[in-house]
Amino acid sequence: MLKIIEERQQIIINHLKIVQFARTQDLIDLVKYSEATVKRDLIELEKKGLVRRTRGGAMIIDNQKIDLPYLMKIINFNEQDNKHKLAEKAKTLITDDMVIFLDSSTTTLHLIKMLSKFEGLQIITNGVLTASLLSEFTEVQINILGGTVVKKRNTINGSKAFNDALTYNADISFVSCRGFDLEKGTTETTEGEALIKQAFRRNSKHLVLLVTEDKYHNQYLHKSLALNEIDTVITDYNLSHNDIDILKRNNITCVY
């Protein structure tokens, strides 16, 4: 019996390592046990310091130490309804003939097929897979930043990519982050990725942050954007009145 419980909990942990956050119902469907059983598992895993229970689900603890290869993160790409919904909202900010900065995050990947509906777009990205998918599914003009491809990340970042990004001017930037705090702004696990967000901010007229619920109240080593450097936040997080007031005081438009 104990072995069955351990195996079930390991399945939950392995899943959370990939998706970072999952609803309780998703975990019930995954392990095919009752809601009560899954909730008991989550309580036990939280006591062990492996997960943090949230309203309606659970998230893995210490994402910085569990930094999965990029391709593992997109295994469940087609099941990421929350990110797809953010992309649907982001699409409304795009018009024909825009120049767009697009970062290498899995969140912004959901925008790609939607871009085929527009004409005359030019995209600058630091994402290797992002550029490949843009080429496959759209007719946009694609520019990929120069520099070193980070091993297992499918991203190009660092000082060379930062300087390359500064040679472009964009109408709008769409970026995500590893952590988001309503006082500190956005943070990343690597200096290179933080630099890319700073370059995009510096040379675009409007910056849009796409941030899922699991990113909130997390801080990592490298600060990328101060709160007052963000123009629009698109989120699935259930913001409180105080949260909304903080965003408004920083002149941030919130879409949720």
Side-chain angles (χ1 to χ4, degrees):
M1 183 68 176
L2 182 60
K3 183 179 180 181
I4 293 173
I5 294 173
E6 290 175 345
E7 288 177 350
R8 186 176 63 242
Q9 291 180 359
Q10 189 60 54
I11 290 171
I12 291 172
I13 287 295
N14 289 342
H15 182 67
L16 288 173
K17 285 180 180 178
I18 295 171
V19 301
Q20 310 299 319
F21 170 83
R23 297 175 302 162
T24 303
Q25 186 59 53
D26 294 333
L27 297 175
I28 292 168
D29 295 340
L30 176 70
V31 298
K32 295 179 172 52
Y33 276 79
S34 69
E35 180 178 359
T37 297
V38 170
K39 285 185 174 180
R40 282 197 299 271
D41 285 338
L42 293 177
I43 290 171
E44 287 298 316
L45 292 170
E46 188 174 57
K47 288 179 180 178
K48 295 176 183 177
L50 297 174
V51 307
R52 181 181 297 115
R53 289 183 297 152
T54 64
R55 183 170 53 193
M59 60 188 293
I60 199 76
I61 284 182
D62 202 354
N63 292 343
Q64 187 169 356
K65 292 181 180 177
I66 309 173
D67 195 5
L68 296 177
Y70 189 86
L71 291 178
M72 287 186 68
K73 288 185 176 181
I74 63 171
I75 287 174
N76 296 328
F77 181 81
N78 291 327
E79 300 174 13
Q80 295 173 348
D81 291 339
N82 58 337
K83 294 182 179 181
H84 184 79
K85 289 175 182 177
L86 298 192
E88 286 279 6
K89 294 172 182 176
K91 180 184 67 175
T92 64
L93 302 176
I94 300 172
T95 58
D96 291 344
D97 302 311
M98 271 189 165
V99 179
I100 300 171
F101 280 134
L102 202 62
D103 77 359
S104 60
S105 66
T106 56
T107 305
T108 58
L109 286 179
H110 287 266
L111 256 177
I112 289 175
K113 287 189 178 181
M114 302 176 193
L115 298 180
S116 62
K117 301 176 182 179
F118 299 94
E119 296 183 356
L121 296 182
Q122 298 181 64
I123 308 291
I124 303 102
T125 184
N126 68 317
V128 177
L129 183 58
T130 307
S132 178
L133 292 176
L134 284 166
S135 177
E136 184 73 23
F137 293 109
T138 75
E139 298 296 324
V140 305
Q141 179 181 317
I142 308 158
N143 294 278
I144 188 165
L145 300 182
T148 302
V149 178
V150 180
K151 186 177 181 182
K152 295 185 179 181
R153 311 313 308 166
N154 271 269
T155 186
I156 300 169
N157 61 37
S159 59
K160 188 172 182 180
F162 172 82
N163 290 326
D164 195 6
L166 294 179
T167 66
Y168 297 96
N169 291 303
D171 297 300
I172 194 167
S173 294
F174 292 100
V175 303
S176 188
C177 61
R178 285 298 300 275
F180 182 55
D181 183 89
L182 285 168
E183 292 183 4
K184 303 295 184 181
T186 65
T187 51
E188 304 292 338
T189 55
T190 67
E191 181 182 18
E193 195 61 37
L195 282 171
I196 290 297
K197 308 298 169 63
Q198 291 164 16
F200 285 0
R201 168 66 282 180
R202 188 181 299 184
N203 277 28
S204 64
K205 298 175 184 176
H206 193 98
L207 186 135
V208 181
L209 177 69
L210 299 135
V211 57
T212 49
E213 180 179 25
D214 55 298
K215 307 295 178 65
Y216 279 80
H217 311 302
N218 289 316
Q219 291 184 47
Y220 296 95
L221 182 61
H222 300 281
K223 185 170 183 176
S224 50
L225 297 168
L227 206 59
N228 61 12
E229 293 179 302
I230 301 166
D231 297 306
T232 299
V233 168
I234 300 178
T235 186
D236 61 348
Y237 184 64
N238 187 16
L239 294 163
S240 68
H241 291 301
N242 184 58
D243 295 337
I244 294 171
D245 287 342
I246 292 172
L247 294 173
K248 286 182 177 178
R249 286 201 300 271
N250 284 276
N251 298 313
I252 297 173
T253 300
C254 187
V255 180
Y256 60 100

